[in-house]
Amino acid sequence: MNIALLIIIVVAIVLAIVSGLGSGLEFLLWVAIIVGVIALIAFLMRVLRKNT
C-alpha cells in the first residue's frame, strides 16, 4: 500500500476518534468521513489500475 494512502487512512481514523470524544468538535467527524471516502476512492482506483 502506498505510504501516502496509509497516512490518509490513519488521519481519518484519528479524526473520527477525536470527533467522537468531544461534542464541540462535531465538524471533525465530517472531515474524517470525507478523508476516509477520498482514501477509499484512491485505494479502489489503485486496485482497478493494477488489475487492468
Side-chain angles (χ1 to χ4, degrees):
M1 191 179 297
N2 192 0
I3 189 73
L5 184 60
L6 186 62
I7 291 172
I8 291 172
I9 292 171
V10 169
V11 168
I13 292 170
V14 169
L15 286 175
I17 292 171
V18 170
S19 66
L21 295 176
S23 60
L25 303 174
E26 189 173 318
F27 74 96
L28 283 180
L29 180 61
W30 290 107
V31 173
I33 291 171
I34 291 169
V35 170
V37 168
I38 291 171
L40 180 64
I41 291 170
F43 175 73
L44 289 175
M45 289 187 70
R46 180 179 170 154
V47 168
L48 290 176
R49 286 183 188 168
K50 187 177 181 182
N51 288 339
T52 57

